[in-house]
């Protein structure tokens, strides 16, 4: 096993330990899907430092802000400490730390402090896991975890004033489709991400149409 393979394996072991009791939508299997998707996007796009992409994808959710009061610093600092301890050079470590800090949706607020190809690829991979069939499953899993209603027409869609307000929201799961999931198609960075997102977006629209039909609800879709 070469040094790169050893580093990846150590990172996998570390992430599995950290997320051993994680909520089902943010567990190791979410990480694994994002990691595999990031590697796939990088291969198709033909650019980006592979080790940086793999490590950032593997470490991107070790302390999700949704579970620590919206604090974006904890996960990136844990990743920094782990990488430095495992002899990753400082420049790459700091790049990965920044990717992790800014990769998440955060209520749709612009993340303009980093624009590397590695960041764009990892962000696309993470966002793709939030849409389509897996995105629907994760949304309702998280809603159940937080004991949120599936649908409540008395609770209107929200515009959040900042990322912390977004993380504190207790809106129904269906609202989450309009407040985040259906917006992601238009926020993809890479051509590969855009192509995959279109298919997954359309599947979500079909799901919502069917759900409204079965519930006797008439509501417009988002294209």
């Amino acid at each position: 096993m070469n040094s790169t393979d050893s580093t990846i394996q150590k990172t996998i072991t570390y992430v599995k330990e950290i997320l051993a009791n994680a909520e089902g939508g943010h567990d190791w299997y979410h990480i694994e899907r994002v990691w595999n998707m990031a590697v796939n996007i990088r291969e198709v796009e033909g650019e980006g430092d592979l080790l940086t992409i793999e490590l950032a994808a593997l470490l991107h959710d070790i302390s999700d802000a949704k579970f620590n009061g919206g604090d974006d610093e904890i996960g990136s600092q844990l990743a920094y400490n782990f990488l430095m301890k495992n002899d990753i050079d400082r420049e790459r470590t700091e790049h990965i730390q920044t990717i992790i800090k800014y990769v998440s949706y955060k209520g749709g607020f612009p993340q303009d402090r980093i624009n590397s190809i590695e960041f764009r690829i990892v962000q696309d991979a993470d966002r793709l896991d939030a849409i389509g069939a897996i995105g629907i499953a994760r949304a309702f899993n998280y809603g159940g975890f937080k004991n949120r209603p599936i649908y409540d027409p008395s609770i209107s869609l929200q515009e959040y004033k900042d990322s912390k307000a977004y993380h504190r929201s207790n809106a129904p799961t269906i609202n989450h489709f309009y407040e985040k999931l259906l917006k992601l198609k238009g926020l993809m960075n890479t051509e590969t991400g855009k192509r995959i997102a279109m298919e997954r977006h359309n599947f979500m629209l079909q799901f919502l149409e069917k759900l409204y039909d079965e519930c006797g609800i008439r509501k417009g879709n988002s294209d």
Side-chain angles (χ1 to χ4, degrees), residues 4-210:
T4 298
D5 290 341
S6 176
T7 299
I8 295 298
Q9 191 55 55
K10 286 179 183 177
T11 306
I12 290 170
T13 299
Y14 172 69
V15 172
K16 285 182 174 181
E17 289 174 356
I18 288 283
L19 298 180
N21 298 309
E23 177 267 331
H26 298 82
D27 58 6
W28 160 249
Y29 298 105
H30 163 63
I31 300 294
E32 185 177 42
R33 290 190 301 272
V34 172
W35 172 37
N36 289 333
M37 180 62 75
V39 171
N40 177 63
I41 293 173
R42 187 259 183 190
E43 182 177 349
V44 176
E45 294 291 313
E47 57 180 332
D49 179 70
L50 181 58
L51 181 58
T52 298
I53 289 167
E54 290 196 81
L55 291 174
L58 285 167
L59 293 164
H60 84 278
D61 240 0
I62 54 175
S63 183
D64 192 295
K66 287 187 289 297
F67 302 101
N68 55 46
D71 192 329
D72 300 314
E73 303 287 342
I74 297 174
S76 61
Q77 188 60 52
L78 286 172
Y80 179 89
N81 295 343
F82 171 81
L83 294 170
M84 292 301 294
K85 181 180 177 181
N86 284 277
D87 301 320
I88 302 300
D89 65 271
R90 185 176 296 275
E91 182 178 1
R92 177 179 274 120
T93 294
E94 290 177 350
H95 186 192
I96 293 168
Q97 180 184 28
T98 307
I99 291 171
I100 292 168
K101 184 174 179 180
Y102 294 106
V103 73
S104 71
Y105 182 70
K106 297 181 176 68
F109 294 92
Q111 273 111 93
D112 55 3
R113 302 196 187 178
I114 181 170
N115 195 30
S116 69
I117 183 59
E118 292 82 11
F119 170 78
R120 296 195 296 271
I121 287 172
V122 174
Q123 187 176 65
D124 277 6
D126 188 34
R127 287 177 169 177
L128 286 169
D129 207 58
I131 59 178
I134 189 61
I136 294 169
R138 291 180 66 215
F140 285 104
N141 186 85
Y142 183 71
F145 176 77
K146 299 294 285 187
N147 198 31
R148 294 177 178 176
I150 292 174
Y151 175 73
D152 185 341
S154 70
I155 301 176
S156 59
L157 301 179
Q158 299 182 49
E159 293 291 337
Y160 300 97
K161 64 180 182 178
D162 55 39
S163 61
K164 290 189 184 298
Y166 168 73
H167 287 306
R168 289 195 298 266
S169 171
N170 287 311
T173 299
I174 288 298
N175 289 35
H176 186 61
F177 280 80
Y178 296 93
E179 293 170 355
K180 175 184 177 181
L181 306 187
L182 292 171
K183 296 179 179 181
L184 293 179
K185 172 178 69 75
L187 297 174
M188 304 305 292
N189 301 300
T190 65
E191 291 306 312
T192 307
K194 291 173 184 177
R195 174 178 53 78
I196 299 170
M198 178 64 73
E199 179 183 353
R200 296 191 181 195
H201 178 87
N202 289 338
F203 182 84
M204 291 193 298
L205 292 181
Q206 293 168 13
F207 167 80
L208 288 170
E209 183 178 357
K210 182 65 174 171

